[in-house]
């Protein structure tokens, strides 16, 4: 069964606007971690943000925030004040209790000037 | 800063060749991983290693092997490259439960 689901293959956002990238996950573990990575056209996977399953506050890192809704098993990434350099593929990932990592199929974000 | 280095960004090989993809991390991490990435399929785990000389199969180990003789180096080996192994290969190591990736190797098998 798919562990991570990203339902948006492609998204467009106007420069300086906010955008939400969706991610849902599936696990029966109590302890797990959720991650977002950015992959520009150069290919490197860049770690953006992390949320632990026991963290009560939503994680934030600069313009990135993770909207964690545990009951819905969703971990959406919010990018505020989009910049042209934000155009990239974005991957949601989960680490389970056994330290296995699972990745979604990605969302391609294009920022329009 | 965490540094994960993959030896080649681009590689072109012929069918049947033996191919080595090298990955080195400089942070004394115990856990290292090899993934391949194909359009529409996301990242798929090939092999991982929790310590020197230890290896575990991931989701798609067929056609691949690995070597971890030193803690900092994790090598992916294609014993006899085939065209369906043309892909992007990503190495990662883990610190404090977060995976950090190398820049990736785009392998083309002709």
């Amino acid at each position: 069964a798919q562990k991570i689901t990203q339902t948006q293959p492609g998204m467009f956002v106007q420069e300086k606007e906010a955008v939400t990238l969706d991610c849902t996950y599936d696990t029966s573990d109590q302890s797990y971690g959720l991650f977002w990575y950015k992959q520009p056209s150069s290919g490197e996977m860049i770690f953006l943000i992390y949320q632990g399953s026991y963290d009560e506050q939503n994680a934030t890192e600069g313009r990135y925030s993770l909207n964690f809704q545990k009951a819905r098993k969703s971990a959406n990434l919010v990018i505020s004040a989009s910049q042209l350099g934000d155009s990239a593929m974005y991957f949601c990932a989960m680490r389970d209790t056994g330290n296995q990592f699972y990745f979604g199929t990605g969302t391609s974000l294009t920022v329009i000037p | 800063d965490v540094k994960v280095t993959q030896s080649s960004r681009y590689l072109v090989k012929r069918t049947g060749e033996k191919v080595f993809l090298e990955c080195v991390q400089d942070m004394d991490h115990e856990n290292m991983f090899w993934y391949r990435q194909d359009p529409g399929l996301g990242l798929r785990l090939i092999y991982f290693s929790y310590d020197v000389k230890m290896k575990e199969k991931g989701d798609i180990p067929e056609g691949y092997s690995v070597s971890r003789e030193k803690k900092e180096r994790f090598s992916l080996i294609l014993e006899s490259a085939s065209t369906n192994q043309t892909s992007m290969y990503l190495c990662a190591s883990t610190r404090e439960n977060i995976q950090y990736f190398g820049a990736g190797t785009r392998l083309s098998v002709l």
Side-chain angles (χ1 to χ4, degrees):
Chain A
Q2 198 167 6
K3 295 274 190 179
I4 299 288
T5 303
Q6 294 181 253
T7 57
Q8 306 154 314
M11 290 281 287
F12 292 86
V13 64
Q14 204 75 38
E15 195 178 5
K16 299 180 186 175
E17 298 288 314
V19 63
T20 298
L21 306 184
D22 294 341
C23 173
T24 57
Y25 60 92
D26 180 29
T27 184
S28 56
D29 292 346
Q30 296 300 308
S31 176
Y32 52 89
L34 297 159
F35 308 81
W36 278 92
Y37 289 85
K38 172 184 178 182
Q39 188 179 41
S41 56
S42 59
E44 184 174 2
M45 293 280 280
I46 302 166
F47 165 70
L48 294 178
I49 195 166
Y50 165 76
Q51 177 87 39
S53 58
Y54 292 119
D55 295 340
E56 294 186 353
Q57 302 268 18
N58 285 343
T60 60
E61 289 286 346
R63 295 186 298 110
Y64 304 108
S65 60
L66 198 153
N67 185 358
F68 181 44
Q69 298 190 39
K70 198 169 185 176
R72 293 186 176 184
K73 292 189 176 178
S74 75
N76 298 340
L77 176 71
V78 180
I79 305 174
S80 61
S82 296
Q83 301 171 358
L84 296 178
D86 293 335
S87 293
M89 284 290 290
Y90 288 82
F91 290 90
C92 179
M94 178 183 72
R95 172 187 48 79
D96 66 13
T97 301
N99 282 326
Q100 289 269 53
F101 283 79
Y102 303 90
F103 288 81
T105 52
T107 295
S108 175
L109 177 67
T110 302
V111 180
I112 304 166
Chain B
D1 269 359
V2 177
K3 186 80 171 172
V4 180
T5 303
Q6 293 184 232
S7 53
S8 305
R9 291 298 304 273
Y10 301 93
L11 215 50
V12 180
K13 296 292 182 181
R14 296 230 173 255
T15 302
E17 278 192 75
K18 190 169 186 175
V19 181
F20 291 87
L21 302 183
E22 305 287 348
C23 177
V24 177
Q25 49 92 3
D26 64 356
M27 292 300 294
D28 202 35
H29 295 171
E30 292 180 345
N31 303 337
M32 296 187 74
F33 304 78
W34 274 107
Y35 295 90
R36 66 175 281 176
Q37 182 181 20
D38 301 287
L41 297 178
L43 272 71
R44 293 180 292 167
L45 181 64
I46 305 172
Y47 268 97
F48 59 101
S49 169
Y50 286 142
D51 206 343
V52 175
K53 296 194 186 295
M54 291 183 67
K55 60 185 179 184
E56 297 284 343
K57 292 180 180 179
D59 299 319
I60 51 164
E62 296 78 19
Y64 304 93
S65 62
V66 290
S67 171
R68 189 141 182 226
E69 295 297 317
K70 293 184 177 181
K71 194 173 189 178
E72 66 269 20
R73 186 180 297 271
F74 191 35
S75 304
L76 180 69
I77 304 157
L78 287 65
E79 294 289 343
S80 177
S82 63
T83 55
N84 63 12
Q85 291 178 310
T86 291
S87 187
M88 173 70 143
Y89 290 87
L90 291 162
C91 174
S93 69
T94 304
R95 184 186 74 178
E96 295 175 358
N97 295 318
I98 296 173
Q99 278 199 340
Y100 295 93
F101 286 83
T105 297
R106 293 187 191 274
L107 173 66
S108 294
V109 183
L110 306 178

